[in-house]
Amino acid sequence: MANYYIPASYLLNKILDVEIIKSPLITAKTIELGNKYSPEFVCTPFKYTLGTMIESLDMGANVLVQFGGGCRYGYYSELQEQILKDLGYKFEMLNLITAGKANVKNIYKTIKKIDKKFNIFKGLYYLFITIKMIKYMDKVDDYIRQNIGFEIEKNSFNNLLKEMLAKFSQVNDPFSLSVLYYKYFKKFKRIKTNKPKDCLKVGVIGELYTLMEPFSNYYLEKQLASFNIQIKRFTNVDYLLFKHKKTINKALIKSKKYMKYKMSADASSNIYWAKYLGINKYDGIIHIKSSFCTPEIGIMPILDKVASNYNIPIIYFSFDANTSEVGMKTRLEAFYDMIEMRRK
Amino acid sequence: MNCYLGVDIGSISTKGVIIDECNNIIASAYIWTEGNPVNAVRNLIEILKKDLDSKYVVKGIGTTGSARKLIGLLLNANVVKNEIMAHAIGTLSLYPDVKTILEIGGQDSKIILLNNGIITDYAMNTLCAAGTGAFLSSQAKRLNIDIEQFGTLALKSTNPVKIAARCTVFAESDLIHKAQVGYKKEDIVAGLCKSIVLNYLNNVGKGKKIESPVIFQGGVSKNVGVLKYFKEILNTDVIVDPNSHLMGALGIAILAKKNKTNKVYDLNIQNVDFLTKATECKGCSNNCEILRIYKDNRLVDSWGNRCDKYIKN
């Protein structure tokens, strides 16, 4: 998923004495494979991850890692394991979250099975560094999203990001990681942009996988940047792992007007964020999800209400294996024209 | 004198207008696209040229519609914009106080909400082309009715049949069933017109506040049957401009005027060699379909690549 494979493979490389197979980047072939072996009406991330698993297994992997979440995501791991075993693949599934909770004992057992020499203290030490790395990455990403639409020299942000991530993968202690982060953040700030003070600002909310994997949303953020728009996205791994519960509790209090009970996955957070975007006078909200994503479909009428209360335009996109890219581009272009016209 | 050309190349029809400095239409044409936008535009330009006085010089060209990008290259257009913007600008030039624009075209339908001359909200049909002109014309063919008589026939009905309109495929089987049990043709036709309106309001117009003045345009607005049911269901007056089919072209011509440069455009495209070549890139498993556009054997643009690998040669 985007650049997060870097900290993930970093962690596994450091703590396990095994060969890590980096799964190939997601391409049209990935979704084709996933589509072929998935139930038709399952949400799209299932298809993407299943396709990636098949590609990795074909490359020789024999252990797969999957998480779980508070919606249909909770069934992914078991279902994918069954589908792949039915296809005749032999492998071990490492499910980090079962039934909504991290099952530490089980994880430990499976890891021990994979690598008998696994040392728990070393594992925790590198886990700490990895978490820190993810937090730093998310901070840098947020800064990039706000400024990449205004870069003067093309690709200057992305090239520096690549350089930073390569350096990140080589650290061995938390201190040098912090030093690197501050050094590179300064460099990012020094990249020349032509950002006006009153630039157009758009918030992107919705379902987590579609938000975070650019291939699955047809590089929506890249397109927004090409319109010279400042982008705000709340969903990142830092949020999912550490701020999820806190955000939902906050959402239930602050957006009491719009919802009474907690909704599954990130639905409650999205309502709260839409309200935040409205209050902070953003120019528009873009809500994206994979097709058939039940929690996100459920909040669409509520988002409409938030949008009309704060007089902020909102547009919805659903993505799956058969979405027309041209159709999406036309609608996005029109959305940009509209928010620009509203400004004047 | 200066004039400006706007071309709207849709899935079914291609529209063109030429306007003067005061947005008056001095020439217009409406022809079928027939799956070949380049040819359609060549014919369109010939028709427009016949109506154009020799005192005019073209100072700006705009293209819109689904083939806007391709035709923009062919005509060297100075403005290439999506249909939503073009329709809104075109309509505003004639009805400055419009609040709602309903538009049903050949393959898509949209709703545009405006306030004080500014677009405040819009929606477009999402997945399928149910309830658009393409559906109507295919059903007219099935019932052996000329599409131009469709609307007037619908007006004769006093008892329109109910047709399940959620999806074109279901609507079609429902329609066949109604025909097979012996409903009158005008009742079926009226039912179809009504189903289009209901489908539109349930899908595209869902949750949108439709305020008058309401203007209905796009090819389907010429169908008086559909218009009647819009008025009936919305319970308000719905205006159809005599030039409602040209609004997109008019709007894009106005945008071309606003963005004019000193350049003078040549409308002699009859002999321009224009070619699109499609190749599949084998660089990775994305297999992007790369489209290369050649004009007089010179590569003018290429689209379709997901990465930066493919650079104009």
Side-chain angles (χ1 to χ4, degrees):
Chain A
M1 203 187 277
N3 284 325
Y4 290 117
Y5 71 90
I6 291 169
S9 52
Y10 168 82
L11 177 64
L12 294 173
N13 256 325
K14 291 284 180 197
I15 63 169
L16 295 178
D17 185 25
V18 291
E19 187 197 352
I20 308 290
I21 293 176
K22 204 187 101 196
S23 56
L25 286 177
I26 290 179
T27 61
K29 193 182 148 208
T30 315
I31 185 69
E32 204 178 287
L33 276 172
N35 213 8
K36 194 169 160 192
Y37 298 112
S38 299
E40 165 84 37
F41 288 108
V42 77
C43 25
T44 324
F46 185 93
K47 299 177 182 175
Y48 277 110
T49 45
L50 185 69
T52 305
M53 285 173 175
I54 294 175
E55 283 181 313
S56 312
L57 288 169
D58 285 341
M59 286 169 77
N62 53 12
V63 179
L64 299 173
V65 184
Q66 177 63 291
F67 288 79
C71 54
R72 264 195 272 192
Y73 191 20
Y75 308 118
Y76 274 26
S77 176
E78 288 81 358
L79 202 55
Q80 284 171 332
E81 188 178 351
Q82 193 61 52
I83 291 175
L84 292 171
K85 291 213 160 132
D86 285 349
L87 285 172
Y89 288 109
K90 288 198 172 55
F91 61 93
E92 193 81 43
M93 192 80 158
L94 180 51
N95 186 7
L96 296 186
I97 296 175
T98 359
K101 283 205 179 88
N103 191 338
V104 182
K105 219 169 144 190
N106 238 348
I107 296 171
Y108 182 70
K109 254 201 228 157
T110 323
I111 293 179
K112 262 293 192 205
K113 212 157 83 188
I114 299 166
D115 179 12
K116 290 200 176 69
K117 283 181 280 178
F118 173 69
N119 178 329
I120 182 120
F121 295 106
K122 195 177 154 198
L124 288 175
Y125 173 71
Y126 280 107
L127 182 67
F128 174 71
I129 299 182
T130 310
I131 290 172
K132 216 165 171 183
M133 194 187 294
I134 290 173
K135 282 184 183 261
Y136 285 151
M137 275 172 69
D138 284 340
K139 277 190 185 143
V140 169
D141 269 348
D142 193 58
Y143 180 78
I144 293 179
R145 228 168 269 129
Q146 286 178 32
N147 293 290
I148 194 164
F150 310 94
E151 62 183 3
I152 292 168
E153 198 182 315
K154 228 179 146 192
N155 280 333
S156 44
F157 277 101
N158 279 331
N159 289 340
L160 190 61
L161 180 67
K162 261 185 217 156
E163 193 187 310
M164 182 187 86
L165 291 176
K167 286 265 164 65
F168 271 13
S169 316
Q170 288 160 6
V171 294
N172 270 315
D173 62 290
F175 178 71
S176 49
L177 181 71
S178 298
V179 170
L180 270 177
Y181 163 71
Y182 287 110
K183 187 179 137 202
Y184 272 95
F185 208 96
K186 254 188 205 157
K187 280 193 182 177
F188 274 113
K189 286 203 163 152
R190 253 185 267 137
I191 290 178
K192 278 200 184 106
T193 59
N194 51 0
K195 187 172 168 182
K197 260 208 169 118
D198 54 344
C199 63
L200 288 172
K201 291 186 295 181
V202 157
V204 197
I205 58 173
E207 175 259 316
L208 69 102
Y209 186 91
T210 312
L211 276 170
M212 299 206 298
E213 172 51 53
F215 187 89
S216 77
N217 61 36
Y218 299 135
Y219 303 96
L220 177 99
E221 287 184 8
K222 207 170 157 186
Q223 275 190 58
L224 286 175
S226 75
F227 294 139
N228 302 335
I229 295 179
Q230 177 185 328
I231 306 156
K232 176 80 194 166
R233 187 182 89 194
F234 305 89
T235 309
N236 51 31
V237 170
D238 183 29
Y239 155 76
L240 290 172
L241 293 181
F242 308 107
K243 295 181 183 146
H244 192 256
K245 217 171 193 170
K246 221 168 94 193
T247 314
I248 290 180
N249 288 338
K250 209 156 122 195
L252 283 170
I253 299 166
K254 296 246 172 149
S255 313
K256 223 179 1 193
K257 204 173 141 195
Y258 299 103
M259 59 183 155
K260 208 165 170 182
Y261 304 105
K262 183 186 159 217
M263 294 153 104
S264 60
D266 304 320
S268 320
S269 309
N270 277 325
I271 295 173
Y272 168 60
W273 289 331
K275 195 181 151 197
Y276 170 91
L277 294 170
I279 292 173
N280 288 291
K281 300 256 178 290
Y282 272 71
D283 293 284
I285 304 174
I286 299 178
H287 180 264
I288 62 177
K289 62 175 186 301
S290 72
S291 301
F292 321 116
C293 172
T294 321
E296 296 302 328
I297 292 170
I299 62 164
M300 279 163 69
I302 306 176
L303 290 180
D304 272 337
K305 199 170 166 191
V306 176
S308 81
N309 281 353
Y310 289 97
N311 192 21
I312 176 170
I314 183 164
I315 186 171
Y316 302 97
F317 287 114
S318 290
F319 295 91
D320 80 347
N322 305 311
T323 309
S324 140
E325 192 172 349
V326 179
M328 177 238 161
K329 280 190 174 156
T330 302
R331 284 156 184 81
L332 194 64
E333 204 185 296
F335 189 73
Y336 163 68
D337 284 340
M338 176 175 79
I339 58 175
E340 205 199 5
M341 196 178 178
R342 278 170 70 109
R343 259 296 177 84
K344 289 173 189 164
Chain B
M1 278 170 91
N2 294 343
C3 71
Y4 309 90
L5 167 68
V7 188
D8 178 358
I9 316 98
S11 57
I12 307 269
S13 60
T14 297
K15 289 79 69 177
V17 299
I18 295 181
I19 57 166
D20 62 12
E21 288 288 356
C22 307
N23 298 347
N24 297 314
I25 297 177
I26 43 183
S28 73
Y30 180 97
I31 59 171
W32 301 121
T33 309
E34 290 170 334
N36 188 343
V38 173
N39 240 351
V41 169
R42 282 196 175 131
N43 296 337
L44 185 94
I45 300 284
E46 284 312 300
I47 300 169
L48 287 173
K49 271 203 308 211
K50 268 182 212 147
D51 291 349
L52 194 64
D53 209 309
S54 56
K55 67 180 178 188
Y56 286 108
V57 281
V58 181
K59 281 304 226 2
I61 296 181
T63 57
T64 185
S66 39
R68 59 182 180 280
K69 223 171 143 187
L70 181 76
I71 302 304
L73 286 173
L74 173 69
L75 295 171
N76 279 329
N78 61 335
V79 176
V80 178
K81 268 256 145 71
N82 58 79
E83 306 85 293
I84 294 162
M85 203 63 184
H87 273 278
I89 299 288
T91 314
L92 279 170
S93 73
L94 297 176
Y95 303 92
D97 57 344
V98 59
K99 282 246 168 96
T100 311
I101 301 173
L102 316 170
E103 206 261 355
I104 305 185
Q107 282 292 342
D108 62 15
S109 48
K110 41 192 164 294
I111 184 166
I112 307 171
L113 303 183
L114 305 104
N115 198 359
N116 293 326
I118 290 166
I119 306 177
T120 52
D121 201 0
Y122 76 91
M124 225 165 151
N125 61 339
T126 46
L127 284 172
C128 71
T132 58
F135 170 61
L136 269 187
S137 66
S138 74
Q139 295 318 313
K141 225 174 252 165
R142 170 184 294 282
L143 297 167
N144 201 13
I145 304 166
D146 191 14
I147 187 76
E148 269 128 45
Q149 258 109 61
F150 207 87
T152 32
L153 189 62
L155 291 187
K156 282 189 198 146
S157 162
T158 48
N159 182 28
V161 299
K162 262 194 191 142
I163 287 174
R166 170 59 32 98
C167 156
T168 303
V169 182
F170 295 156
E172 192 165 286
S173 38
D174 203 27
L175 178 132
I176 295 168
H177 165 72
K178 295 277 150 67
Q180 302 299 60
V181 296
Y183 275 97
K184 274 193 248 162
K185 223 177 221 182
E186 62 248 38
D187 290 343
I188 294 175
V189 169
L192 263 179
C193 292
K194 195 171 177 180
S195 80
I196 293 250
V197 173
L198 289 174
N199 187 305
Y200 177 91
L201 294 175
N202 276 331
N203 286 320
V204 185
K206 183 138 235 161
K208 306 272 182 251
K209 226 189 226 157
I210 296 176
E211 286 177 280
S212 53
V214 180
I215 293 183
F216 179 28
Q217 56 199 33
V220 178
S221 66
K222 298 289 173 194
N223 183 320
V224 282
V226 176
L227 175 65
K228 177 192 155 190
Y229 289 111
F230 259 126
K231 282 184 186 166
E232 208 177 283
I233 291 165
L234 290 176
N235 200 14
T236 171
D237 190 33
V238 176
I239 306 162
V240 175
D241 190 83
N243 284 329
S244 68
H245 56 295
L246 297 174
M247 280 311 165
L250 175 64
I252 200 69
I254 294 172
L255 285 172
K257 188 184 86 181
K258 276 186 190 157
N259 293 301
K260 70 172 165 184
T261 48
N262 266 329
K263 201 176 152 193
V264 174
Y265 291 83
D266 183 13
L267 287 188
N268 282 319
I269 54 160
Q270 222 34 263
N271 298 319
V272 174
D273 191 27
F274 203 68
L275 191 68
T276 304
K277 276 188 197 160
T279 44
E280 208 170 71
C281 174
K282 298 282 183 206
C284 73
S285 48
N286 263 333
N287 298 338
C288 297
E289 195 185 324
I290 312 273
L291 286 177
R292 274 178 279 192
I293 319 289
Y294 291 89
K295 197 170 169 182
D296 285 332
N297 289 323
R298 197 169 46 82
L299 183 73
V300 281
D301 207 352
S302 67
W303 316 324
N305 46 319
R306 286 189 178 84
C307 65
D308 297 330
K309 186 189 160 198
Y310 190 85
I311 306 160
K312 269 198 221 179
N313 61 346

